[in-house]
Amino acid sequence: MTTTGEEHTAAGTGPWWWVRWRSAVLDASLASASAVECAIEGIPFARDAGLPVPVGVGFGLVAGSVLLLRRRWPIAVVLVSIAITPAQMGFLMGLVGLYTLAASELPRRIIGALAGMSFAGMLIVTFVRAHQGMVRGDVTMGDWFVPFVSITTAIGMTAPPVLLGLYVGARRRLMESLRERADSLERELQLLAERAEERAEWARNEERTRIAREMHDVVAHRVSLMVVHAAALQAVARKDPEKAVKNAALVGDMGRQALTELREMLGVLRTGDGLSSVRVRAVPLAAVGVAAAAASRAVDDGAEGPSLAELDELVGQSAAAGMVVDLSVEGDTRGYAAEIEQTAYRVVQEALTNVHKHAAGAKTHVRLAHRDAEIAMQVENECPPEPGSASAMHLPSGGNGLVGMKERVAALGGVFVSGPTDSGGFRVSAVIPA
C-alpha cells in the first residue's frame, strides 16, 4: 500500500526541522564533509591572506558547517557559499546549496537571482585565478584558455545542481499533488460508502415495512372472517345444524385462501428474484429512492395480486359473515395498472376488516368511483347496534391497518383520509391517481 499525504505528514518524527531522522543524518554528514573541505581549503587561504593557519582552518570549519541549515534556510547557505567563493572554498556547499534552493518551494525569481549571483561569482573568481596563473607562467595556453576555463567552470558549478534541483522539486510537487488527490478520493469514497450503507439500510427498512404491511393485509382479513364465522358457528351449532355446516365450510374456505396467499408471499420471499434482488440493487449509489416501490412490485408480482374485479367477492365474503354491506360503483369500469388495482382492493379489504373488528353488525357502505384521472373509494360504517359486540369476539388489533392503508395510497401519490363520522360511525376515503 502507498503512503498517503496525511500519513506522510504525520510520519515526521525527526529532530527540530527535519521530518525524518534519515534526513537529519544526511544533512549532518554533508555538513561534516563540507566543514572538512573548507577547513582544508582554509589553509592556503590563510597563507595567501597573511593570517594564522588555525584562523583559516576555524573559519573554514564554521563556514562549511552552515550546510547543516540547508533545509531550513537554503538562501542563507547559498549566500555564504557565494561569500566564500573568492577564498576558493565551499565548493561542496555551493553545489548542495544550489540544489536545495532549486528544489525548494521558493519563487523562481529568487532561485534565478541567487543562481545568477553564484554563476557570476564563480566566473569572476575563476577568471582572476586563471589570469594570475597565466601571468605567473603556471599555464602556457593561449588567450582563449582563460575565458574558456572561467565559463566552463562557472557553468559546471551552477547549471547541474540547479537543473537537478528543479527536476527533483517538480517531481516532489507532483507526488504531493498525487497524494492529495489520493487522500481526496479516499475521503470521497469513504463518504460515498457511508451514504451507500445508509441508503441500503433505508431500503432494508422499507422492505421490512412493506413485508409487514403485506402480511397484515393478506392474513388479517381472512383470519378476521374466520373468527367471525367461528363465533357464528359456535352460536348456531346446536340450534341450526345446517347453518352450522355452512359456516364451517366458509371457515374452511377462508383458511385455505389465507394459506394460499401466505404461501404465495413466502414463495416470493424465498426466491432470489424478489426482495433479495431489490436489496442487491439498493447497495450501489444509484437512485435508491425507488427501492420501496421495487419491493412492493416484487411482492405483488410474485403472485397474481387481487384486482377490482374481485371486489364483489370480497363484499360477498363480508356479507356471508353477517355484515350488511352496500356496494355502489360510479363511472365506467376500466382497467388500471396492477399496483393501482391492488392498492384500491387492499384499502377496501382493510376497511372491511376494521369494521369486523371494531363495529360488528354495523351496516357498511362501500363506494367506488371511476373518474377521468383518478379512482376514488370510500368505506363508511354506521354506528354498531351493540357497542360491545366487537370486543366480545376478542378480535385483536395491532393499530397498523390505517397506517398501512395510508402508506399504500401515499406511495402512488394519492390522498388518504380516515376518521369518525357525526353519526357515530367511521369513514375511510382514498383517492389514487390513475
Side-chain angles (χ1 to χ4, degrees), residues 14-75:
W16 297 335
W17 58 82
W18 286 283
V19 178
R20 295 181 295 269
W21 277 98
R22 184 178 61 184
S23 302
V25 172
L26 176 62
D27 289 355
S29 302
L30 291 175
S32 301
S34 177
V36 172
E37 177 204 357
C38 291
I40 295 174
E41 293 169 347
I43 298 175
F45 167 71
R47 292 173 180 173
D48 295 340
L51 298 174
V53 174
V55 174
V57 174
F59 175 76
L61 288 173
V62 174
S65 300
V66 177
L67 189 59
L68 188 66
L69 309 175
R70 71 183 187 96
R71 297 179 190 268
R72 184 73 170 180
W73 295 293
I75 295 179

Side-chain angles (χ1 to χ4, degrees), residues 159-228:
V162 171
L163 294 178
L164 180 61
L166 291 175
Y167 167 74
V168 172
R171 184 176 180 274
R172 184 182 302 160
R173 285 186 290 272
L174 176 61
M175 295 300 296
E176 290 296 333
S177 175
L178 293 178
R179 288 194 187 97
E180 292 178 358
R181 291 180 62 184
D183 292 337
S184 177
L185 290 175
E186 184 178 357
R187 288 191 296 268
E188 184 177 357
L189 288 176
Q190 184 177 2
L191 178 61
L192 291 177
E194 293 176 356
R195 293 174 61 184
E197 182 63 26
E198 292 176 358
R199 292 177 176 179
E201 182 64 25
W202 175 84
R204 287 192 289 267
N205 292 334
E206 288 294 327
E207 290 179 17
R208 285 193 289 266
T209 303
R210 172 59 181 169
I211 293 171
R213 187 166 56 241
E214 283 292 329
M215 295 289 289
H216 179 274
D217 292 345
V218 168
V219 178
H221 179 74
R222 305 294 183 188
V223 175
S224 298
L225 291 180
M226 290 173 62
V227 173
V228 173

Side-chain angles (χ1 to χ4, degrees), residues 134-305:
M134 291 286 293
V135 172
R136 290 195 302 265
D138 298 338
V139 181
T140 58
M141 295 290 180
D143 296 337
W144 57 271
F145 179 73
V146 174
F148 174 77
V149 170
S150 302
I151 295 174
T152 303
T153 303
I155 293 176
M157 294 295 295
T158 305
V162 171
L163 294 178
L164 180 61
L166 291 175
Y167 167 74
V168 172
R171 184 176 180 274
R172 184 182 302 160
R173 285 186 290 272
L174 176 61
M175 295 300 296
E176 290 296 333
S177 175
L178 293 178
R179 288 194 187 97
E180 292 178 358
R181 291 180 62 184
D183 292 337
S184 177
L185 290 175
E186 184 178 357
R187 288 191 296 268
E188 184 177 357
L189 288 176
Q190 184 177 2
L191 178 61
L192 291 177
E194 293 176 356
R195 293 174 61 184
E197 182 63 26
E198 292 176 358
R199 292 177 176 179
E201 182 64 25
W202 175 84
R204 287 192 289 267
N205 292 334
E206 288 294 327
E207 290 179 17
R208 285 193 289 266
T209 303
R210 172 59 181 169
I211 293 171
R213 187 166 56 241
E214 283 292 329
M215 295 289 289
H216 179 274
D217 292 345
V218 168
V219 178
H221 179 74
R222 305 294 183 188
V223 175
S224 298
L225 291 180
M226 290 173 62
V227 173
V228 173
H229 284 294
L233 176 61
Q234 184 180 4
V236 302
R238 296 181 178 179
K239 298 179 181 180
D240 192 351
E242 184 178 353
K243 187 174 182 180
V245 172
K246 182 178 179 182
N247 287 338
L250 289 175
V251 171
D253 292 339
M254 293 296 173
R256 283 188 290 271
Q257 291 177 3
L259 288 176
T260 300
E261 294 183 358
L262 184 60
R263 187 180 299 111
E264 291 173 350
M265 180 178 296
L266 294 178
V268 172
L269 296 179
R270 288 180 180 274
T271 58
D273 299 331
L275 296 176
S276 59
S277 63
V278 177
R279 182 174 302 177
V280 172
R281 293 194 298 269
V283 175
L285 300 178
V288 193
V290 298
S296 300
R297 288 193 298 271
V299 175
D300 291 333
D301 294 343
E304 296 181 0

